[in-house]
Amino acid sequence: MTPSPPALLIAGHGTRDEAGAEAFRAFVRELGDRHPELPVAGGFIELSPPPLGDAVTGLVERGVRRFAAVPLMLVSAGHAKGDIPAALAREKERHPGITYTYGRPLGPHPSLLRVLERRLDEALGTADGREDVTVLLVGRGSTDPDANAEVHKVARLLWEGRGYAGVETAFVSLAAPDVPGGLDRCARLGARRIVVLPYFLFTGILPDRVRRQTEEWAAAHPDVEVRSADVIGPEPELLDLVWERYEEAVRGDLRMNCDSCVYRIALPGFEDKVGLPQQPHFHPDDDGHHHGHGHHHGGHAHAH
């Protein structure tokens, strides 16, 4: 008899923005509707219900013993590298007998680049051409240089072959340049039409901050045309990509990038991080940000 496929557990970051949290929960429900042949559940690392541990408990109560966990995150930063693996290790202690595999984050991926391009087209509307449009791609920002470098890679991939004047990069927290600094850079490079493109999956406090800072900068620079694009959102491409990451995890076909991982490679200025145990980190720019999962066990939980 063929064994049933592993369940799918989706791990989200969490937000104090209820619309963003509900977008995640609705996304999980849509994936479940698409794949009635297996249990699908989702939970958050922090800030929003349900916690990831509750999602695992729910799967176990449904008889699940095997699952594949996919981080619903665009880059491999602290949550994907440390917090989620540590949380899953705790759940394995709480539920003896369960087994799981851990997938990789979502980006960069050609299907997400297509959605980003669509968001830019929507922001530009019927405006003529792209050749004078500079895009400012804004990521979350991290203390992990490898994660920030991934956002730069997305910017370059978005630029290639699409006819924009250029694609610059900024971050809403923890890394430079910030949004006003990124817009200043675009202007110094001669940009007169700029579209600010948030590199976020769903709405939330940080994407709202990107839009607000963009509007403030635009009001102070009336000689530059500035538009704001929308977040990626629960597009069919995103649903397909999460399923692709699930199938990779089930097959064991995981291709993590370790070449520039700060926990494995001595990068300039970060040499002290090599080999460090993963600990929960503080992300000060989410309003009211705190970790409600307090007691991470020591030990290296890096998801490579």
Side-chain angles (χ1 to χ4, degrees):
M1 187 170 108
T2 304
S4 58
L8 168 57
L9 175 68
I10 302 168
H13 179 284
T15 174
R16 291 197 179 280
D17 181 84
E18 178 54 29
E22 179 53 32
F24 171 90
R25 292 189 288 259
F27 184 83
V28 172
R29 291 193 296 269
E30 174 67 18
L31 266 172
D33 292 342
R34 274 189 168 208
H35 299 283
E37 73 279 9
L38 78 162
V40 177
F44 295 102
I45 288 297
E46 60 188 353
L47 299 174
S48 315
L52 192 64
D54 287 5
V56 173
T57 298
L59 288 175
V60 171
E61 290 174 348
R62 294 164 66 181
V64 169
R65 310 305 289 169
R66 299 185 305 139
F67 63 86
V70 175
L72 197 69
M73 297 172 184
L74 290 167
V75 300
S76 295
H79 283 301
K81 289 180 177 179
D83 290 335
I84 296 173
L88 293 174
R90 285 198 305 275
E91 294 310 309
K92 197 170 190 300
E93 292 179 2
R94 289 178 57 207
H95 304 285
I98 67 169
T99 60
Y100 63 86
T101 55
Y102 183 47
R104 58 182 174 135
L106 303 175
H109 191 279
S111 62
L112 293 184
L113 293 171
R114 288 195 296 272
V115 178
L116 292 173
E117 185 177 14
R118 194 154 69 236
R119 294 291 176 258
L120 290 169
D121 287 343
E122 292 164 357
L124 290 168
T126 58
D128 294 333
R130 299 177 173 183
E131 63 278 356
D132 64 342
V133 173
T134 298
V135 177
L136 182 64
L137 182 74
V138 181
R140 171 180 288 272
S142 173
T143 57
D144 184 338
D146 184 41
N148 296 329
E150 285 190 33
V151 181
H152 279 267
K153 181 175 182 177
V154 173
R156 185 69 214 188
L157 290 171
L158 188 63
W159 189 354
E160 293 282 353
R162 289 180 171 83
Y164 302 111
V167 180
E168 297 297 320
T169 308
F171 301 93
V172 74
S173 67
L174 295 176
D178 58 13
V179 175
L183 286 164
D184 287 342
R185 174 176 169 78
C186 292
R188 287 197 300 271
L189 290 170
R192 288 296 172 263
R193 295 178 68 205
I194 303 172
V195 180
V196 177
L197 177 63
Y199 190 48
F200 287 82
L201 291 174
F202 303 125
T203 58
I205 288 170
L206 295 183
D208 288 347
R209 185 178 300 167
V210 173
R211 185 175 289 267
R212 184 173 67 251
Q213 291 178 348
T214 299
E215 292 170 351
E216 291 170 354
W217 190 93
H221 299 80
D223 54 325
V224 182
E225 177 188 338
V226 184
R227 303 187 183 200
S228 291
D230 286 333
V231 296
I232 290 170
E235 294 292 284
E237 290 95 337
L238 184 59
L239 289 155
D240 291 341
L241 179 54
V242 171
W243 185 252
E244 182 178 323
R245 293 290 186 254
Y246 164 79
E247 291 185 318
E248 288 175 355
V250 170
R251 292 194 307 265
D253 179 23
L254 298 177
R255 293 159 292 193
M256 291 288 187
N257 170 31
C258 297
D259 294 338
S260 54
C261 174
V262 73
Y263 301 105
R264 287 176 176 260
I265 306 299
L267 297 180
F270 297 87
E271 293 88 349
D272 60 327
K273 289 185 177 290
V274 175
L276 277 185
Q278 289 293 283
Q279 302 292 341
H281 72 284
F282 180 63
H283 202 296
D285 293 296
D286 277 321
D287 280 4
H289 186 286
H290 69 280
H291 280 259
H293 35 91
H295 59 287
H296 272 235
H297 298 313
H300 197 275
H302 188 196
H304 283 270

